[in-house]
Amino acid sequence: MRYEKGHKDVSRRRIAEIAAERFRRDGIAASGLAGIMSEAGLTNGAFYPHFRSKADLVRESLAGALEDQTNKMREALAAGGLEAILEAYLSAEHRDDPGTGCAYAALLPEIARQPVETRDVFAEQLTGVIGQFAETLPPQTRDPQGVALGIYATLIGALQLARAVPSGALSDRILSAGAEAARALARVASDPCPGQPA
């Protein structure tokens, strides 16, 4: 059977998108190729014309998910700065839907165990999102890159903790505490006279 030109590219993108969602929702190790291919409407044998290995699929799907996350962050920053990020990132909706949410928060422990090529992709995307964050901080911020890293690490950690406990009062409190900690980091870093009374 002959397919239209571009069919292989479309199939490859579909496989990568499904894999990205499954990896974020269920984890990389727990997501088998058979399930991913079945959801894509393809046979297991159709995997290898698209990807050499699961590691290649992980790298490509992670790159796509991280790029999507970077674009969402850029839009939120443009729309309302840090407050817009806090509202979206530390929301109950984001907490409760890891499959379409932040790949950083969903996959960090597993990314650390991936081949160096995959970790390089991760580091490159992280550097980009931190750069965007840093550009939106007040001009008097000392070490904007460092502050942006601290804020983003706070957001990711808060989201991971909030997902680790059953949804409810404690989970909501973790999200709220994470948002307040991120605000405090931004305030302290932009204070022109730290430690001095206002």
Side-chain angles (χ1 to χ4, degrees):
M1 177 185 241
R2 296 190 54 132
Y3 292 103
E4 290 180 28
K5 188 176 181 183
H7 174 79
K8 186 173 180 181
D9 291 340
V10 170
S11 294
R12 183 183 176 98
R13 276 194 305 275
R14 173 110 175 101
I15 294 166
E17 287 168 2
I18 288 167
E21 184 169 344
R22 279 195 171 224
F23 293 157
R24 285 177 286 183
R25 186 183 67 225
D26 302 329
I28 294 169
S31 299
L33 293 179
I36 291 167
M37 295 305 287
S38 175
E39 191 172 334
L42 299 166
T43 64
N44 288 353
F47 175 80
Y48 291 100
H50 297 288
F51 300 95
R52 288 190 316 257
S53 65
K54 184 176 179 181
D56 284 348
L57 173 61
V58 169
R59 186 169 46 257
E60 184 166 321
S61 62
L62 180 64
L66 294 175
E67 188 174 336
D68 287 347
Q69 179 68 24
T70 300
N71 291 337
K72 287 178 186 174
M73 292 290 240
R74 182 182 299 118
E75 290 168 11
L77 286 167
L82 178 60
E83 283 305 313
I85 291 286
L86 297 179
E87 185 177 328
Y89 196 93
L90 295 179
S91 67
E93 293 78 19
H94 189 202
R95 174 196 63 202
D96 297 340
D97 188 14
T100 59
C102 176
Y104 298 102
L107 296 172
L108 278 181
E110 289 190 279
I111 291 169
R113 297 182 189 98
Q114 293 300 306
V116 68
E117 297 86 1
T118 301
R119 296 196 324 270
D120 284 344
V121 166
F122 169 77
E124 183 180 327
Q125 292 286 343
L126 179 63
T127 301
V129 80
I130 293 304
Q132 289 177 20
F133 239 119
E135 288 172 8
T136 66
L137 294 171
Q140 70 272 23
T141 301
R142 297 175 306 281
D143 185 16
Q145 294 272 333
V147 173
L149 276 167
I151 290 172
Y152 206 39
T154 300
L155 298 183
I156 291 169
L159 184 60
Q160 288 178 319
L161 282 172
R163 284 177 174 167
V165 300
S167 294
L170 177 57
S171 184
D172 291 342
R173 187 170 184 196
I174 292 167
L175 293 177
S176 177
E180 192 46 49
R183 287 185 191 103
L185 277 171
R187 277 194 305 270
V188 168
S190 63
D191 182 353
C193 300
Q196 299 297 317

